[in-house]
Amino acid sequence: MFKNIFLLGPSYISYIILIATDFFNGIPWYIQFGTLFVFGSLTAVITIWNMDREEDETLDKTAEKPKNVNFIPTLILVSIILLIAGMNIFVGAPRNDIFNITDFSFYIVFVALPILNKDYVKVAERQMSA
């Protein structure tokens, strides 16, 4: 599951660049979205490449269980929300409304959807185990 954990860092940095550059005018789109395109395509290629390899591997029942690192996505989401809130307070309003803390869409995307996703995952795990 976490074979490609090294992709998490560059992806996180590309999101930070995307958010931070949205608050400043005059920055070209290719600087704002460039790192996201590069690391997104790199992640997609590596994931597709590893799908073929994972099908060939057999599962070993005696293998050691991976460590529980479920807090990492939550930690990343909280740090992104803090970055957006800080940029709104100290820099001003962003170009996109999705990063504006006074807009309702911010709360839908960054608060409601992650909570609903966690609930959906718990329900799906319960259905799979039953």
Side-chain angles (χ1 to χ4, degrees):
M1 181 175 169
F2 291 102
K3 289 182 179 178
N4 297 319
I5 196 77
F6 65 90
L7 292 174
L8 193 62
S11 300
Y12 179 63
I13 291 170
S14 65
Y15 288 127
I16 289 174
I17 292 171
L18 173 74
I19 292 167
T21 55
D22 192 51
F23 286 88
F24 300 106
N25 294 330
I27 295 178
W29 67 270
Y30 52 85
I31 292 175
Q32 184 176 7
F33 296 105
T35 56
L36 191 63
F37 290 144
V38 168
F39 288 116
S41 60
L42 178 69
T43 303
V45 167
I46 289 175
T47 303
I48 291 171
W49 184 53
N50 282 338
M51 284 173 62
D52 296 334
R53 290 183 173 200
E54 288 177 1
E55 290 175 358
D56 296 337
E57 295 176 0
T58 58
L59 294 175
D60 187 17
K61 299 294 181 191
T62 61
E64 189 176 309
K65 286 187 175 181
K67 294 180 180 178
N68 191 1
V69 289
N70 292 335
F71 67 92
I72 292 177
T74 306
L75 183 67
I76 289 173
L77 181 68
V78 167
S79 63
I80 286 176
I81 290 173
L82 288 175
L83 171 70
I84 293 171
M87 293 291 283
N88 270 284
I89 292 169
F90 296 115
V91 177
R95 284 185 282 187
N96 296 324
D97 285 336
I98 195 74
F99 300 132
N100 194 350
I101 60 174
T102 60
D103 195 38
F104 187 65
S105 62
F106 170 79
Y107 296 101
I108 291 174
V109 171
F110 290 105
V111 177
L113 286 180
I115 292 171
L116 290 174
N117 184 35
K118 280 194 173 250
D119 290 341
Y120 174 75
V121 168
K122 286 180 184 177
V123 168
E125 285 176 353
R126 236 183 273 140
Q127 288 179 350
M128 294 294 273
S129 66

